[in-house]
Amino acid sequence: EKFYNSSVVNNLADTWNNNIIRAAMGVENGGYLTTPTTEKSKVMTVVEAATAKGIYVIIDWHAHDIHTTEAVNFFSEMARLYKDYDNVIFEIFNEPDYESWSQIKQYAIQVIQAIRSQGANQIIVVGTPTWSQDVDIAANDPITGYSNIAYALHFYAGTHRQFLRDKAVTAMNKGIALFVTEWGTCDASGNGGLDLTESQTWINFMDQYKISWCNWSLNDKAETASALIPGASTTGPWPDSQLTESGKFVKSKIILNGTPGGTSSSSSISSSSSVVSSSSSSVVSSSSSI
């Protein structure tokens, strides 16, 4: 919770060249389903800060299971509030775990209808099967009848390698748009050893195909994927002494990609109460995830 503030957003934009930030709102395990007002308030703080700063922001329904009624109600409200905010992107299902594409698609169409019915025409990112990896399966039966639809591709460099890049190419060749709304420099647990060589291979791939990305995550949790060391500033700016090895690497890539002519990248902010690491899981730009 401590990183969902305007100073974090401002410092990422000013010192890391972020041009998008992903506000991950935990849904299960003590998240929105338990404390909807609290979780929603954190996201809205980030949305308003990003808008004031002139950068993109992803409203991320950070769930692993389908909660159709709650998601429709949430995104109806978000769409009503932010339909005129060109910088807002709706990510309606973070990482489906064991749901089939037909189940995800049925859910997604209902949420998309709710968003569009409010007059909100911004990009909507749809999660894909197996922790947002099976983009090729989604590409075989894409959502039709709506524009500005993209599909989530998530990877962790220590686990997901060429086989997943092959899936991505297959999906793109079938005509769907991909957005890497979450990736990590380590293995799928969010921990383990860094794999910066494979991380760079993925970055090169995303640059080649002009795929925007968000890195997981701007957090000080004691795990490899965190950009900050435990006890780091909750507002920034962050000297290198407060960055993990992953954080130093990702910051350097965001700064590089945030320069004119670079591919966009950004960050994800994560709150300890709302982030759940999946056993196999895992910005218009590159950036960070809260």
Side-chain angles (χ1 to χ4, degrees):
E1 294 84 357
K2 56 192 175 184
F3 293 103
Y4 289 75
N5 62 73
S6 59
S7 294
V8 162
V9 174
N10 291 337
N11 276 306
L12 284 171
D14 291 340
T15 65
W16 290 34
N17 283 346
N18 270 40
N19 54 16
I20 187 168
I21 193 157
R22 180 178 183 240
M25 185 188 74
V27 175
E28 297 128 355
N29 300 290
Y32 179 84
L33 299 180
T34 304
T35 57
T37 301
T38 299
E39 297 301 314
K40 184 169 59 179
S41 175
K42 290 190 298 186
V43 169
M44 292 171 67
T45 295
V46 175
V47 170
E48 295 298 337
T51 302
K53 195 63 180 174
I55 66 173
Y56 289 97
V57 58
I58 300 174
I59 298 175
D60 166 34
W61 182 259
H62 206 78
H64 293 289
D65 301 314
I66 291 174
H67 308 280
T68 305
T69 300
E70 294 84 355
V72 165
N73 291 338
F74 172 77
F75 281 106
S76 294
E77 181 180 2
M78 294 297 101
R80 185 169 61 251
L81 288 172
Y82 300 124
K83 63 183 178 181
D84 296 323
Y85 288 47
D86 292 339
N87 63 313
V88 170
I89 297 169
F90 302 106
E91 184 176 3
I92 62 175
F93 200 164
N94 163 56
E95 285 186 348
D97 44 22
Y98 304 112
E99 293 79 10
S100 67
W101 172 241
S102 62
Q103 291 173 306
I104 298 165
K105 184 179 179 182
Q106 182 182 25
Y107 157 86
I109 289 172
Q110 294 179 72
V111 180
I112 291 168
Q113 287 174 336
I115 292 171
R116 295 296 187 240
S117 70
Q118 299 296 326
N121 295 313
Q122 299 102 314
I123 293 170
I124 296 173
V125 182
V126 180
T128 55
T130 317
W131 291 274
S132 286
Q133 294 169 51
D134 291 339
V135 290
D136 53 335
I137 293 175
N140 288 333
D141 182 25
I143 294 167
T144 59
Y146 298 94
S147 59
N148 284 346
I149 304 299
Y151 297 81
L153 173 66
H154 289 182
F155 70 86
Y156 280 75
T159 302
H160 308 115
R161 299 173 182 268
Q162 187 60 45
F163 79 92
L164 190 53
R165 291 189 287 273
D166 291 342
K167 281 177 172 282
V169 171
T170 296
M172 289 186 288
N173 285 341
K174 291 182 178 180
I176 68 171
L178 302 183
F179 199 140
V180 175
T181 53
E182 179 176 326
W183 73 272
T185 55
C186 52
D187 66 38
S189 69
N191 221 335
L194 279 175
D195 193 335
L196 298 185
T197 299
E198 190 67 19
S199 294
Q200 186 62 56
T201 299
W202 269 106
I203 289 171
N204 294 343
F205 174 82
M206 292 186 288
D207 285 349
Q208 177 185 353
Y209 288 95
K210 302 189 188 316
I211 300 173
S212 297
W213 54 261
C214 290
N215 175 258
W216 188 266
S217 67
L218 191 82
N219 196 2
D220 67 345
K221 182 179 179 181
E223 66 177 11
T224 309
S226 296
L228 306 176
I229 65 172
S233 170
T234 58
T235 59
W238 303 274
D240 283 354
S241 61
Q242 293 186 12
L243 300 180
T244 64
E245 290 307 306
S246 179
K248 293 174 187 176
F249 175 83
V250 172
K251 177 185 177 182
S252 71
K253 301 306 173 182
I254 294 174
I255 288 175
L256 175 64
N257 289 343
T259 57
T263 302
S264 51
S265 48
S266 194
S267 313
S268 248
I269 303 175
S270 59
S271 85
S272 57
S273 68
S274 65
V275 174
V276 181
S277 295
S278 76
S279 58
S280 72
S281 92
S282 33
V283 226
V284 180
S285 124
S286 49
S287 189
S288 314
S289 209
I290 299 182

